[in-house]
Amino acid sequence: MPERPLLGVGAPLLGTLEPTERADAARNRRLLLDAAQELVREQGVDSLTMDALAKRAGVGKGTVFRRFGNRAGLMTALLDHSEVKYQQGFMYGPPPLGPGAPPQDRLIAFGRARLLDIEVEGELYRAAETGERFSGPPYLLLKAHVSMLLRQAEVTGDIPLLADALLGALSAALVMHQMHALGYSREQIGDNWAALVRRVVAPQSPVQ
């Protein structure tokens, strides 16, 4: 797959290091965001406060405020961080999510990895699904990746429309409704995603 820049969910270049950011500052920022992600995955998004992150990361609260400004800034940075890690996984990581596995297996792994992110950080992802979501760089990167895998699997039809349809099944708002209102588990939704992918990728039988 041709290399593409990793894109966060905010401004087009969010998720890439600013030219003026020192390497040590960038490393410390990533360590803070890794700690924030661990906290959310263990205790839920409501547990993520500036105080809790400072304690988890073993730094002073002032350090957290200087880096992110306030909780809203921290949430935006965390969502961007999660998105970039997801992109790194499907673009450069080990198979089946990354290169080296059959396209159908990669599509299934792509969906299951997304569902895990939504399960633990769903409110953040749902908040990002507003405005010009479908024309924004992060969504277009996901669509390009799914389209590439569909072509590699020799799927016929309108590939961009099929990619949109598949990504629609991974909408944070829909997945959270399925989990919290309908009572489905992430594993059940993931199994349904796998079945959907297999139906799309399977050779079409001729019409009798």
Side-chain angles (χ1 to χ4, degrees), residues 84-199:
V84 169
K85 287 178 72 173
Y86 178 57
Q87 293 169 7
Q88 288 172 332
F90 69 68
M91 292 172 67
Y92 310 118
L97 180 59
Q104 176 176 282
D105 294 346
R106 292 191 68 192
L107 278 168
I108 291 172
F110 174 89
R112 290 192 186 276
R114 193 61 162 187
L115 290 171
L116 176 59
D117 284 343
I118 292 172
E119 182 180 46
V120 296
E121 296 160 12
E123 291 295 345
L124 300 179
Y125 278 94
R126 183 164 63 179
E129 293 180 351
T130 58
E132 301 299 321
R133 174 195 173 202
F134 298 110
S135 58
Y139 181 84
L140 293 178
L141 179 59
L142 300 184
K143 182 175 179 177
H145 179 70
V146 171
S147 296
M148 179 198 73
L149 294 178
L150 290 172
R151 291 189 180 96
Q152 288 180 355
E154 300 182 350
V155 172
T156 58
D158 193 314
I159 296 299
L161 281 179
L162 286 173
D164 279 332
L166 287 173
L167 288 170
L170 299 175
S171 159
L174 175 60
V175 171
M176 291 179 70
H177 174 74
Q178 292 168 335
M179 289 181 177
H180 303 310
L182 302 182
Y184 289 101
S185 68
R186 173 171 55 86
E187 290 74 17
Q188 288 174 306
I189 299 172
D191 289 345
N192 185 67
W193 165 262
L196 175 62
V197 167
R198 292 188 183 103
R199 290 190 186 99

Side-chain angles (χ1 to χ4, degrees), residues 6 20 47 63 68 74 99 107 127 138 150 158 172 199-200 203:
L6 300 177
T20 57
S47 71
T63 299
F68 303 109
L74 171 59
L107 278 168
L150 290 172
D158 193 314
R199 290 190 186 99
V200 170

Side-chain angles (χ1 to χ4, degrees), residues 76-90:
T76 299
L78 176 59
L79 181 55
D80 180 72
H81 183 65
S82 297
E83 185 74 16
V84 169
K85 287 178 72 173
Y86 178 57
Q87 293 169 7
Q88 288 172 332
F90 69 68

Side-chain angles (χ1 to χ4, degrees), residues 20-99:
T20 57
E21 188 172 29
R22 301 190 316 273
D24 58 339
R27 182 177 61 254
N28 291 338
R29 181 177 186 275
R30 287 194 298 271
L31 290 173
L32 281 171
L33 290 171
D34 282 340
Q37 190 173 49
E38 290 173 3
L39 193 61
V40 169
R41 294 195 170 194
E42 291 172 10
Q43 302 178 26
V45 70
D46 290 340
S47 71
L48 184 57
T49 64
M50 307 297 264
D51 286 334
L53 176 57
K55 183 177 180 180
R56 170 61 66 96
V59 301
K61 188 168 65 173
T63 299
V64 179
F65 275 98
R66 283 193 298 274
R67 171 55 65 182
F68 303 109
N70 53 34
R71 189 172 186 270
L74 171 59
M75 291 296 188
T76 299
L78 176 59
L79 181 55
D80 180 72
H81 183 65
S82 297
E83 185 74 16
V84 169
K85 287 178 72 173
Y86 178 57
Q87 293 169 7
Q88 288 172 332
F90 69 68
M91 292 172 67
Y92 310 118
L97 180 59

